[in-house]
Every structure is written in C-alpha cells, then in structure tokens.
Amino acid sequence: MIDDRNEPVFPGAILPHWSAMASQKGFSIAARVVDRLHLALRCDACGGLTKTRLSVLMNYQPTCAPCLHAKHIATAAAAGLTMLRRDPSNRHYGYYAASCGHELRRQFALIDQASRGDKALRCDTCLQTKHMAKAAAHGWTLLGCDPDKRVNYRHYCHDACGAEQSVTLGNMTTGRFACAQCGEVWSAAPSAIYLMRFQLVDGRPVVKLGFSRNPASRLNHQLQSGRTRTGELLRVVHLPTGAAALHAEQGMHQRIKATIPCTIVPQERYVGQIKVKSEIYTPDALALITTLLDDLAARLAA
C-alpha cells in the first residue's frame, strides 16, 4: 500500500525518463500503483500523494489533489463558506456549509468567482423560505416551481379560494396582481388616495397625490427609480372602490391646478427620479392637499 491512499502497488520498474518528467513538473514518483498505466506522484510542494495516469504525466501537467483540496478550502473561506467535501458524482462540484447553517452544492468555478467578488452566492433554502414568507404576506401559499418551467415564476395557491396559479416573483413581492378565480378588477376592488413626499437630487422636496390599491407597493416598487430612494408615504385615505378613488383623485388635481397652478413641478426637474410624467407638486401645495384629504375622509366617515 502507498501511505494512506490504499492504492495497491503494481510491480515493475520506474523508468528514468518518467522520473525526469515528474521532476520537471513538480513531483517525484513514489510507486507504480493499481496497474501498469498508473503512478503515485508525490508533490514537491506539499508532500501529498496523487494517483495519475502515466499518459497524463508524460503529456500534460498533473494536478496535485491535496494542493487542489487546500485551494478549494481557502477559496470557500474567502467566499464566506466552509468546504465540506467534493461531490463524488461530479468532479466540478463540491458541498459547502453556508453561514446560515445550510448545506450548498456549488461548482468550484462559481465559488472561485464569489471569492473574488465577481458573483453573489445565495442559499436555496433561505431563498425558498423568503419566497414562502412573501407569498404568505399576500395570502398565498407557495407550491413549487412553475409548471411551464419559467425561471422567474413560481406556482402558488390562493388561501382564500384555493385557486392555483403561477405568478412572477416580482409581482408576488409587490402584491400587484389578482387571483384569476376570485380577484376583482381594479375599478371594483378597494383602493386609496395617497400623499407622498420625495427628495430630488437637487435637494428640494416635492409631493405627489395619487391613487392606488396598494400605496406602499406603488411607492417602493413603481415610483422610485434606482437613482433615488428618498420617497415616503405621508397619508392614505381608503376608499371602497378603485372607481371612487380615481374620481376623487381627478377632482383634487383639478382643484389644485385651478387654485394654485404655480405649485405644479415641471417634468424635467424629476425625470429619471420619479417614474411618473405629471401630478408632482411643490410643498406649497401641502396645505390645500391636506384640506382636500380631510374633507374626503370626513365624507367617507359620515
């Protein structure tokens, strides 16, 4: 046997030109093993043993298995993981322990990229839990992958009616979709008038009056661009239907434009910062907007 490799020694001479070739490539030949075509090479750098075909030694650069394993361990640590073991079924993959405690199977090349900061790693188990929580927040249960194998879709069950449908991950995050079986059209579904404030890149604040079934989702997933995330929701007045909200909103904008048109902000001031083309006002409009919202809330409460 050869050290702890448990490889049976194969009888026969080690030819001088084999040894010369091994020396050129950073190894010495410890023995012939298994059969006449294999050698046990000892690495000059680490002293570890690697079983290699004779043809590989003569025609290519052999890889030291212990050195490669040490490299995988160091690369995993640099990527924030702990190397557990190689995948015995695929030499390109290994198993790792993530900081969350879950086990990951990943390609060595991907871990190498992650160690340099070129790729981001994510835990599939944690991601699944995150998707389940987002679905539950909107009244849905995650069932699994999309039956049509669309990458950005998942299959869900509506808790309220039991209907199943596929929804994009983005829409499930924002809640901006409806159940195909029991969902209401926007005009009949409950809605709301909202008031928001934004800080533009020039440092000046502006406000927006509008309507939406889900004002928080509209703010966080529709209105704000990648250049600015300074928006905040100031007030929400709930209405029974989208049609009523649209009617109330249109009346408020007409009142503002007729009374204080000077508060209308030109589109060029917020283009690329807020994803709308109109209905943005200066803070001078806040007093009138507050009065209009107070009157609306009072009428709804009466």
Side-chain angles (χ1 to χ4, degrees):
M1 301 295 177
I2 298 297
D3 293 350
D4 59 352
R5 297 282 297 175
N6 293 325
E7 301 287 5
V9 175
F10 183 81
I14 298 174
L15 301 184
H17 68 283
W18 295 356
S19 296
M21 185 63 74
S23 179
Q24 291 177 22
K25 296 180 178 180
F27 295 90
S28 61
I29 301 177
R32 297 178 69 170
V33 294
V34 183
D35 56 33
R36 64 185 181 84
L37 299 177
H38 288 84
L39 301 171
L41 301 183
R42 188 178 301 279
C43 177
D44 293 343
C46 72
L49 289 169
T50 299
K51 183 180 73 172
T52 303
R53 290 182 65 89
L54 175 60
S55 59
V56 172
L57 171 64
M58 301 307 294
N59 299 305
Y60 305 98
Q61 174 61 50
T63 299
C64 172
C67 285
L68 181 60
H69 185 64
K71 177 185 176 183
H72 289 329
I73 292 175
T75 303
L81 305 173
T82 300
M83 175 73 180
L84 298 177
R85 62 190 181 280
R86 298 177 65 93
D87 184 344
S89 64
N90 191 320
R91 64 187 180 87
H92 298 294
Y93 282 79
Y95 288 91
Y96 302 85
S99 58
C100 60
H102 296 126
E103 186 173 291
L104 313 180
R105 178 181 178 269
R106 293 292 185 274
Q107 283 184 313
F108 294 126
L110 177 61
I111 301 302
D112 188 51
Q113 293 174 331
S115 70
R116 300 193 303 267
D118 297 334
K119 290 284 186 179
L121 295 174
R122 64 186 184 188
C123 171
D124 295 334
T125 303
C126 290
L127 183 63
Q128 182 81 345
T129 301
K130 181 179 179 181
H131 289 333
M132 292 173 64
K134 288 181 178 179
H138 296 296
W140 292 75
T141 298
L142 176 63
L143 299 178
C145 296
D146 174 46
D148 294 328
K149 299 181 180 180
R150 291 173 292 182
V151 176
N152 293 324
Y153 283 75
R154 295 295 185 272
H155 202 55
Y156 302 90
C157 175
H158 192 200
D159 297 340
C161 69
E164 296 183 11
Q165 72 183 68
S166 290
V167 180
T168 67
L169 293 171
N171 283 344
M172 185 56 73
T173 296
T174 63
R176 303 188 70 82
F177 69 99
C179 175
Q181 178 167 291
C182 70
E184 299 175 282
V185 295
W186 72 267
S187 59
S191 191
I193 299 290
Y194 62 77
L195 174 62
M196 299 174 183
R197 176 166 53 206
F198 297 88
Q199 191 82 15
L200 300 183
V201 293
D202 62 9
R204 289 181 286 183
V206 295
V207 296
K208 171 166 175 54
L209 178 69
F211 84 98
S212 173
R213 184 172 62 177
N214 189 334
S217 176
R218 177 151 175 76
L219 170 65
N220 294 318
H221 301 287
Q222 285 195 313
L223 294 181
Q224 298 189 106
S225 72
R227 291 176 54 189
T228 175
R229 307 291 296 180
T230 61
E232 60 176 322
L233 192 60
L234 300 180
R235 187 171 178 183
V236 175
V237 176
H238 295 281
L239 287 96
T241 66
L246 175 61
H247 179 74
E249 183 220 23
Q250 290 176 336
M252 292 180 183
H253 286 306
Q254 291 173 0
R255 177 77 177 275
I256 295 170
K257 292 174 183 178
T259 308
I260 45 174
C262 59
T263 63
I264 299 173
V265 179
Q267 182 183 350
E268 57 267 21
R269 276 192 52 201
Y270 55 85
V271 65
Q273 302 174 62
I274 307 173
K275 296 179 181 178
V276 291
K277 296 181 178 180
S278 62
E279 300 172 351
I280 300 293
Y281 305 100
T282 69
D284 295 331
L286 274 174
L288 176 56
I289 294 174
T290 299
T291 298
L292 295 174
L293 291 175
D294 287 342
D295 292 344
L296 175 62
R299 290 197 303 272
L300 292 171

